[in-house]
Amino acid sequence: MDGVSLSSSHPLFKEIDKLTMEQLSYAKAGVEEGVWQLFADEGEMKMYKRDLEIDGMVCDPLKAVHSIKGVTAREYLHYFFDSSYKLDWDTTLDNMRVVEHLASDTAVIHQVHKRVWPAAQRESLFWSHFRKVNSYKDPDASDLYIVCNHDCERPDVALSNKACLRVGLTIAMVCQTVIKRPQSKVQFSELSREDIGCKIIYVAQVNPGGWAPNSVLRVVYKREYPKFLKRFTQYVEQKVKNKPIMF
Ligand code: 6CM
């Protein structure tokens, strides 16, 4: 999947292009000491957060780095982007639907999340864009893909119920395939899953969109983000097992 399928004349193109590239730089910028606090450290998976409140609401930025074996960047992000799998792996969801397929690499998605007591139920409405950006890959990587999600407005998508609040979100997952055998000496077709790995960076900032107790929100995020990344990774590992490698 080289190039961008979304037409440059689409009204959302400029915003999608700008935000996707900004999130890519932000994700790759690392975690400065004294700025990011490590809150989950499980094997290769490390998760960091910063404390940030906007208008009194917790909007803590999150950054996670992970590294797994046997999966390519394209495969990992295929399962993250493709909405037909979301209900399998996203345990925060009550339901979801694709509002519009804007192109093969871009969709608008509406999700209704499970209610967390005592706060009101949340929903999200966002564009989701999948892109290959090899010019930004690390020297040891053979490719780089990103999925970027950001909230949007659609007059044709009403709140699912009046008590629901719509969250704001900017989320990106950046993945790079690492090949363990010298690339100059090997064709992709000769590689097995033992020869490949994937470096993952996930960044997220969610605005709760209205009242929620700050302490509960922080507890929920600390529990849910590691749960999500571990569960999603296991899901992908299971899905690719015994399938031909997709680069
Ligand atoms: O990135 C994740 N999921 C993607 C699914 O396609 C997508 C998600 C967007 C929405 C994220 C909003 C999460 C809101 C969760 C409910 C908030 C409850 C409020 C509690 C009040 C006390 O990018 C994985 C997202 C994992 C989130 C933990």
Side-chain angles (χ1 to χ4, degrees):
M1 56 166 292
D2 284 306
V4 178
S5 301
L6 181 67
S7 163
S8 57
S9 61
H10 189 280
L12 277 173
F13 180 86
K14 271 193 183 148
E15 175 182 302
I16 291 176
D17 189 50
K18 182 168 177 276
L19 213 74
T20 301
M21 296 313 287
E22 276 173 11
Q23 288 295 302
L24 175 55
S25 301
Y26 167 65
K28 290 202 78 208
V31 276
E32 311 91 306
E33 220 169 283
V35 178
W36 291 91
Q37 313 150 23
L38 179 71
F39 73 92
D41 187 355
E42 300 179 34
E44 292 294 325
M45 187 187 84
K46 303 204 173 351
M47 280 199 178
Y48 305 81
K49 61 163 284 199
R50 289 195 285 125
D51 286 343
L52 178 69
E53 286 177 28
I54 300 175
D55 300 330
M57 288 183 289
V58 166
C59 298
D60 296 353
L62 172 119
K63 196 178 267 207
V65 290
H66 197 9
S67 172
I68 60 168
K69 292 179 182 146
V71 177
T72 65
R74 182 165 177 200
E75 288 172 330
Y76 198 81
L77 286 183
H78 165 76
Y79 291 102
F80 186 65
F81 174 72
D82 191 322
S83 47
S84 58
Y85 305 112
K86 284 192 196 294
L87 285 168
D88 292 346
W89 59 263
D90 194 336
T91 57
T92 73
L93 294 182
D94 248 356
N95 59 64
M96 61 81 53
R97 73 181 176 98
V98 179
V99 174
E100 190 177 351
H101 280 289
L102 304 182
S104 61
D105 57 8
T106 314
V108 174
I109 292 165
H110 184 213
Q111 301 186 146
V112 180
H113 298 272
K114 288 182 183 141
R115 185 175 173 220
V116 180
W117 187 89
Q121 188 167 29
R122 260 55 184 185
E123 57 169 60
S124 49
L125 175 65
F126 57 99
W127 54 253
S128 183
H129 178 66
F130 189 4
R131 185 180 289 197
K132 184 178 189 180
V133 200
N134 269 4
S135 50
Y136 277 68
K137 71 183 175 66
D138 292 344
D140 65 340
S142 65
D143 58 22
L144 181 150
Y145 290 86
I146 178 170
V147 169
C148 184
N149 297 342
H150 181 65
D151 57 82
C152 60
E153 282 175 23
R154 292 275 304 214
D156 56 339
V157 183
L159 275 178
S160 45
N161 73 64
K162 280 192 185 134
C164 227
L165 291 173
R166 212 165 258 179
V167 301
L169 65 110
T170 306
I171 288 177
M173 182 94 85
V174 175
C175 292
Q176 303 182 73
T177 309
V178 180
I179 295 172
K180 292 168 196 160
R181 284 160 63 181
Q183 278 175 54
S184 52
K185 295 194 185 123
V186 70
Q187 304 275 324
F188 277 176
S189 57
E190 294 169 36
L191 295 170
S192 80
R193 293 211 171 267
E194 263 140 54
D195 300 318
I196 57 172
C198 182
K199 296 196 290 184
I200 300 153
I201 309 171
Y202 175 80
V203 287
Q205 189 170 346
V206 174
N207 183 317
W211 182 83
N214 283 355
S215 57
V216 179
L217 258 182
R218 286 197 161 112
V219 169
V220 169
Y221 288 166
K222 273 193 177 168
R223 184 186 67 215
E224 292 300 323
Y225 280 117
K227 182 173 153 192
F228 142 65
L229 202 58
K230 279 190 287 184
R231 183 182 161 88
F232 177 69
T233 299
Q234 281 168 2
Y235 178 74
V236 176
E237 286 170 340
Q238 201 56 40
K239 288 300 260 190
V240 301
K241 220 182 238 177
N242 306 321
K243 288 205 177 80
I245 303 173
M246 178 168 67
F247 286 98

